[in-house]
């Protein structure tokens, strides 16, 4: 893979710095040996200057290394992890500006402490290999951090949605219909919509949709999609086009991830679709009505789904946009659990605002607590009969976490999935029970809402009498044994 000129200068500077320090030379001493100014040498080491051939010869003589070794892109063992970083797309694609980091600051860090940073990067690389972390994991985690920094509310996209609505749907009231979205995609962007486009694509059966880009883009959809899923799929395409988002993924689920920009644009298109389906002014009034009731009324949430013809996930995401911005409820999390057989539950999506709250998706190969409303609602889906088999289910719970003062109000929604689409999923929003939350959510202490003591995973849980336990608490027991050993050591050496 070709290395950019900027990275070539940085690698050269790192090598000069390492050789200078190995010989115990100061800038002044190296300046005296080469005739180059100390300030110029400092610029070289920071990757800001790349000297001409005659000056490289002066440096190679002073540092007692051959010309070829000095200009080679091969780094020493200590700096090898940095070399891997420079030769990948990752360094170039890190969206430093989104997190308020100037590229020059990172370059200074690399040039001022290359060996220590190399060791740190080497450790991260080893950890990622041991835990099977891939580049897409990094990008998706970066996206979550970006959302959390902005309380998951983006005024620019909200304004673009209203501009689009006024331009295209000014005289059409929501909920929008399949025919309306199809008409705009065809007339404005020359799309061809194929509602059964993936019907005979066996390899693409798990996908909800795929877009084939060309002068007349084709949107291929899975014939098993519900009407709400079709509407979301088309409105997301409108988001890509109206916001002029590129690069972008062309499949509904990630088959491959090529850059952070692609991940970010996918999120922006999804945000656009949710905001288009659930207009801010209207949905805020609906949420005010829901939150102001002294008792929890699931029918109010279900009515919102019906009114706006949206999916449960769209509604929950929209709540994460508006609860922090409009209601001041910033300490919350969003979770999506999926299962195919009601025995294995996977946390497939999460977002935490104002800190990492329980639960979190770092429990590799562990069994998530079966007491969560998010999982209980999935277990209940299999017992539905008759008309209820196709109805959205709602569950509410107050969750008190073991060994923590945190208590959350959990609201979960779930709907049985079409068998050919994939797994059943539940989406949940957890609101930290705080003074601000109590003022805004009047039903927080509704006595009908069940209160349950929960934990993150069975393996880390001290509740031995739990009837829902799915695995032994071996991680908790190991930690207890280690703590006992530490106390015994401290006792013997007189610290207690």
């Amino acid at each position: 893979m070709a290395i950019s000129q900027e990275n070539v200068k940085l690698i050269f500077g790192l090598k000069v710095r390492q050789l200078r320090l190995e010989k115990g030379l100061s800038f002044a001493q190296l300046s005296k040996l080469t005739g180059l100014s100390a300030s110029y040498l400092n610029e070289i080491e920071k990757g800001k200057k790349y000297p001409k051939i005659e000056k490289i010869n002066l440096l190679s003589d002073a540092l007692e290394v051959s010309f070829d070794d000095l200009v080679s892109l091969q780094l020493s063992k200590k700096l090898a992890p940095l070399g891997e970083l420079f030769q990948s797309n990752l360094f170039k694609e890190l969206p430093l500006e989104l997190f308020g980091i100037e590229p020059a600051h990172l370059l200074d860090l690399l040039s001022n402490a290359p060996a220590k940073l190399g060791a740190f990067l080497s450790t991260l690389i080893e950890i990622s290999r041991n835990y099977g972390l891939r580049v897409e994991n990094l990008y998706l985690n970066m996206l979550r951090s970006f959302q959390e920094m902005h309380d998951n509310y983006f005024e620019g996209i909200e304004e673009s949605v209203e501009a689009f609505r006024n331009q295209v749907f000014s005289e059409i009231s929501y909920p929008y219909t399949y025919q309306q979205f199809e008409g705009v995609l065809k007339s404005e962007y020359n799309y061809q919509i194929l509602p059964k486009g993936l019907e005979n694509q066996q390899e693409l059966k798990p996908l909800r949709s795929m877009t084939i880009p060309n002068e007349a883009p084709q949107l291929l959809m899975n014939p098993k999609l519900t009407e709400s899923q079709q509407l979301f799929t088309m409105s997301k395409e409108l988001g890509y086009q109206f916001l002029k988002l590129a690069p972008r993924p062309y499949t509904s689920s990630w088959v491959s991830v090529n850059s952070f920009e692609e991940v970010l644009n996918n999120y922006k298109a999804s945000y656009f679709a949710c905001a288009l389906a659930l207009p801010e002014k209207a949905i805020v009034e609906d949420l005010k009505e829901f939150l102001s009731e002294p008792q929890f009324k699931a029918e109010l949430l279900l009515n919102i789904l019906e009114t706006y013809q949206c999916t449960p996930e769209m509604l929950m995401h929209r709540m994460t946009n508006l609860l922090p911005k409009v209601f001041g409820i910033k300490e919350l999390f969003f979770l999506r659990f999926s299962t195919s057989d009601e025995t294995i539950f996977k946390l497939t999506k999460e977002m935490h605002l104002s800190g990492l709250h329980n639960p979190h998706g770092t429990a590799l190969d562990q069994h998530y607590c079966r007491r969560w409303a998010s999982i209980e609602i999935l277990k209940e889906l299999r017992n539905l009969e008759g008309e209820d088999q196709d109805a959205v289910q709602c569950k509410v719970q107050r969750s008190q976490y073991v060994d923590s003062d945190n208590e959350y109000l959990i609201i979960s929604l779930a709907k049985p999935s079409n068998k050919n689409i994939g797994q059943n999923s539940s989406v949940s929003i957890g609101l930290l029970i705080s003074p601000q939350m109590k003022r805004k959510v009047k039903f927080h202490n509704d006595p009908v809402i069940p209160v349950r003591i929960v934990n993150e995973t069975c393996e880390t849980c001290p509740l031995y009498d739990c009837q829902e336990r799915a695995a032994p608490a071996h991680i908790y027991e190991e930690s207890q044994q280690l703590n006992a050993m530490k106390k015994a050591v401290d006792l013997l050496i007189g610290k207690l």
Side-chain angles (χ1 to χ4, degrees):
M1 182 182 295
I3 300 179
S4 69
Q5 185 60 37
E6 291 300 314
N7 287 346
V8 169
K9 291 193 291 185
L10 185 55
I11 289 174
F12 182 83
L14 290 173
K15 295 181 76 171
V16 170
R17 178 180 178 81
Q18 183 188 28
L19 290 167
R20 177 178 66 80
L21 293 178
E22 286 177 353
K23 293 189 171 300
L25 298 173
S26 65
F27 278 121
Q29 290 170 323
L30 184 58
S31 174
K32 186 175 182 180
L33 290 173
T34 60
L36 305 175
S37 70
S39 60
Y40 182 68
L41 291 172
N42 189 34
E43 294 284 287
I44 290 175
E45 291 192 4
K46 288 186 176 181
K48 297 180 180 180
K49 300 287 186 181
Y50 194 89
K52 295 181 179 180
I53 293 177
E54 59 270 19
K55 294 180 180 178
I56 296 176
N57 279 321
L58 293 172
L59 285 168
S60 65
D61 290 340
L63 297 171
E64 298 180 345
V65 63
S66 72
F67 179 93
D68 290 340
D69 285 342
L70 192 56
V71 299
S72 169
L73 298 179
Q74 186 71 33
L75 290 170
S76 67
K77 187 175 181 179
K78 286 183 179 180
L79 302 180
L82 294 180
E84 293 183 27
L85 184 64
F86 296 142
Q87 294 181 52
S88 71
N89 283 329
L90 185 61
F91 187 74
K92 179 180 179 181
E93 292 169 354
L94 285 174
L96 301 175
E97 66 282 355
L98 293 180
F99 299 94
I101 301 174
E102 293 292 335
H105 295 163
L106 183 59
L107 295 181
D108 284 342
L109 175 62
L110 291 172
S111 61
N112 288 329
K116 291 180 181 179
L117 186 59
F120 174 67
L121 290 174
S122 182
T123 301
L124 291 182
I125 291 170
E126 188 64 25
I127 290 173
S128 67
R129 287 170 178 166
N130 289 340
Y131 286 90
L133 299 179
R134 298 172 295 181
V135 172
E136 50 262 45
N137 298 123
L138 172 63
Y139 290 153
L140 293 172
N141 278 288
M142 289 167 63
L143 173 62
R144 283 197 290 271
S145 297
F146 180 65
Q147 292 173 257
E148 292 159 14
M149 286 173 57
H150 294 84
D151 288 332
N152 202 34
Y153 182 88
F154 295 90
E155 188 172 357
I157 302 179
E158 298 282 350
E159 292 173 351
S160 295
V161 168
E162 288 309 305
F164 176 84
R165 197 191 311 278
N166 293 331
Q167 175 181 321
V168 179
F169 292 143
S170 58
E171 298 182 2
I172 301 176
S173 61
Y174 50 82
Y176 304 119
T177 66
Y178 180 100
Q179 290 74 23
Q180 289 166 349
F181 279 162
E182 182 182 36
V184 176
L185 284 168
K186 285 183 175 181
S187 62
E188 298 293 329
Y189 304 109
N190 202 27
Y191 266 70
Q192 181 182 6
I193 312 299
L194 302 172
K196 297 184 179 181
L198 296 179
E199 186 173 30
N200 299 317
Q201 300 291 334
Q202 187 63 29
E203 295 83 359
L204 303 180
K205 186 177 178 180
L207 296 178
R208 293 188 174 185
S209 67
M210 177 178 177
T211 303
I212 300 177
N214 46 48
E215 291 184 1
Q218 290 182 310
L219 176 58
L220 285 63
M221 290 193 281
N222 192 310
K224 300 295 183 179
L225 292 183
T226 65
E227 182 179 1
S228 296
Q229 291 167 340
Q230 288 179 333
L231 292 174
F232 176 76
T233 299
M234 290 191 289
S235 59
K236 191 172 177 181
E237 289 298 317
L238 290 172
Y240 282 123
Q241 295 296 337
F242 190 76
L243 299 176
K244 296 181 172 58
L245 299 174
R248 54 157 294 185
Y250 293 103
T251 56
S252 57
S253 302
W254 290 106
V255 175
S256 62
V257 180
N258 301 306
S259 68
F260 176 76
E261 188 177 7
E262 187 177 84
V263 171
L264 181 59
N265 286 338
N266 177 71
Y267 167 73
K268 289 179 178 179
S270 297
Y271 191 110
F272 182 98
C274 288
L276 182 60
L278 298 157
E280 181 174 351
K281 291 182 180 179
I283 193 65
V284 164
E285 292 305 312
D286 292 329
L287 290 176
K288 284 181 179 177
E289 179 185 359
F290 169 63
L291 298 175
S292 63
E293 290 289 336
Q295 286 83 40
F296 176 78
K297 293 186 177 181
E299 61 270 22
L300 291 180
L301 275 185
L302 300 180
N303 287 343
I304 292 175
L305 293 176
E306 183 66 25
T307 298
Y308 298 92
Q309 286 295 293
C310 63
T311 66
E313 185 160 351
M314 291 172 68
L315 174 56
M316 289 298 194
H317 272 300
R318 199 67 177 125
M319 290 174 70
T320 67
N321 300 148
L322 300 175
L323 288 179
K325 174 68 176 180
V326 179
F327 299 90
I329 303 174
K330 298 186 177 183
E331 296 174 302
L332 59 82
F333 61 73
F334 168 89
L335 303 173
R336 182 181 69 200
F337 277 95
S338 298
T339 181
S340 56
D341 59 5
E342 282 74 44
T343 59
I344 299 175
F345 301 89
K346 295 183 178 179
L347 182 55
T348 52
K349 201 170 196 179
E350 65 176 329
M351 181 185 63
H352 305 262
L353 299 185
S354 298
L356 184 63
H357 310 295
N358 313 71
H360 51 81
T362 58
L364 299 177
D365 299 322
Q366 294 183 33
H367 295 75
Y368 288 100
C369 179
R370 272 33 177 180
R371 295 184 173 195
W372 295 340
S374 315
I375 289 180
E376 284 188 343
I377 198 171
L378 285 174
K379 293 167 67 176
E380 293 172 1
L381 286 182
R382 60 184 171 183
N383 298 322
L384 298 179
E385 297 179 355
E387 295 181 358
D388 289 341
Q389 287 181 319
D390 297 322
V392 176
Q393 303 299 307
C394 182
K395 196 173 185 66
V396 64
Q397 177 187 101
R398 283 177 60 164
S399 296
Q400 298 174 346
Y401 288 89
V402 177
D403 299 328
S404 171
D405 294 330
N406 289 345
E407 182 177 0
Y408 289 86
L409 179 70
I410 312 294
I411 303 172
S412 295
L413 295 174
K415 182 179 180 180
S417 172
N418 291 307
K419 292 182 180 179
N420 292 328
I421 292 294
Q423 303 173 321
N424 284 339
S425 295
S426 70
V427 288
S428 305
I429 189 169
L431 312 179
L432 180 67
I433 298 179
S434 64
Q436 174 67 11
M437 182 269 196
K438 291 178 180 179
R439 286 192 291 271
K440 296 295 183 178
V441 183
K442 301 303 182 182
F443 58 77
H444 70 272
N445 59 351
D446 183 354
V448 175
I449 297 176
V451 179
R452 301 212 69 185
I453 297 176
V454 302
N455 197 36
E456 294 176 9
T457 66
C458 295
E459 287 80 353
T460 62
C461 184
L463 301 176
Y464 289 105
D465 60 346
C466 176
Q467 296 180 355
E468 294 89 348
R469 179 177 289 280
H474 64 88
I475 294 179
Y476 171 76
E477 291 170 354
E478 289 172 2
S479 66
Q480 291 297 102
Q481 291 174 0
L482 181 59
N483 288 335
M485 291 175 64
K486 289 179 178 178
K487 289 182 180 179
V489 169
D490 288 342
L491 182 62
L492 288 175
I493 62 177
K495 285 191 175 181
L496 292 181

